[in-house]
Amino acid sequence: MDDRILHYTKEADEVWHAGDIGDLKVTDAIEEITPLRAVYGNIDNDKIRATFPLHQRFTCEGVSVWITHIGGYPPKYNMNTRDEIKSNPPKLFICGHSHILKVIPDKKNGLLHMNPGAAGKHGFHKTRTMLRFTIDQGKIENLEVIELGKK
C-alpha cells in the first residue's frame, strides 16, 4: 500500500476493489479511512476469500452495480457472467483480472463496463491506475483515470 492510493482514498465516499487484493493489510488500510466494498480475485488466498465475496451486487444512488473479478468486457463477457448480464444487467459492471484499464459503454445491454486496471505494485501491468467517478441521482459522472506511476 502506498501513500498515493491512501491520498485518493481519503477523498472518496467509498472505495470499490475488483479483486486481487493480495493481503488483508491493503483492505484494512482502506477501511480505516473510508467504507470499502470488495471482491476476491484469482490470486487471493483462503483468508481473503473468507472475508470478501466473489460478487457484489448493490444499488448506489439509483445505479445498479455489479462488481466481480473475472467478468470479461463487451461484447466478450466471461461465460460465468454472460447470462446474468443478458437477463439482469446492472447499469455499472466493474471487474478486474486483466490489469488493463478499460471503460466501455455496452449499448446492447444498457450498461457501462469499467476495469480500473491495477493500482498495486505486483502483476504484469506497467502503469498503476485507478478510476474515480461520482454517482448522483442515477447518473455516473466525472469519470477520471488516476495514474499512480510506474510499478
Side-chain angles (χ1 to χ4, degrees):
M1 178 59 72
D2 72 36
D3 291 338
R4 292 201 61 214
I5 293 170
L6 295 177
H7 165 79
Y8 290 106
T9 297
K10 290 174 187 169
E11 296 177 354
D13 292 334
E14 206 170 68
V15 169
W16 299 347
H17 196 302
D20 283 354
I21 294 164
D23 191 314
L24 286 175
K25 291 177 186 174
V26 170
T27 51
D28 290 346
I30 293 168
E31 287 180 309
E32 284 182 20
I33 298 169
T34 195
L36 170 72
R37 293 181 196 255
V39 296
Y40 69 78
N42 59 298
I43 68 143
D44 291 323
N45 62 30
D46 292 344
K47 196 171 185 179
I48 293 170
R49 289 171 187 239
T51 305
F52 297 103
L54 177 60
H55 302 282
Q56 288 261 16
R57 284 206 75 153
F58 57 95
T59 300
C60 176
E61 295 284 326
V63 171
S64 59
V65 180
W66 181 6
I67 304 172
T68 194
H69 183 62
I70 301 175
Y73 56 91
K76 299 178 181 180
Y77 292 109
N78 175 280
M79 65 182 189
N80 296 319
T81 58
R82 185 179 315 126
D83 291 341
E84 180 76 11
I85 286 172
K86 286 180 183 176
S87 66
N88 185 21
K91 188 168 181 179
L92 177 57
F93 182 59
I94 300 172
C95 60
H97 187 59
S98 72
H99 294 220
I100 299 169
L101 187 140
K102 291 182 185 185
V103 177
I104 305 170
D106 179 347
K107 293 180 182 178
K108 180 179 178 184
N109 292 296
L111 64 86
L112 179 62
H113 167 273
M114 292 185 187
N115 183 322
K121 295 180 180 178
H122 300 287
F124 53 85
H125 56 284
K126 295 184 185 333
T127 301
R128 299 179 307 124
T129 58
M130 47 196 291
L131 294 172
R132 176 170 51 186
F133 54 92
T134 57
I135 297 179
D136 188 30
Q137 298 179 356
K139 293 181 183 174
I140 304 162
E141 301 176 313
N142 305 315
L143 178 62
E144 178 183 2
V145 173
I146 298 170
E147 288 192 8
L148 299 165
K150 303 291 182 195
K151 65 174 192 165

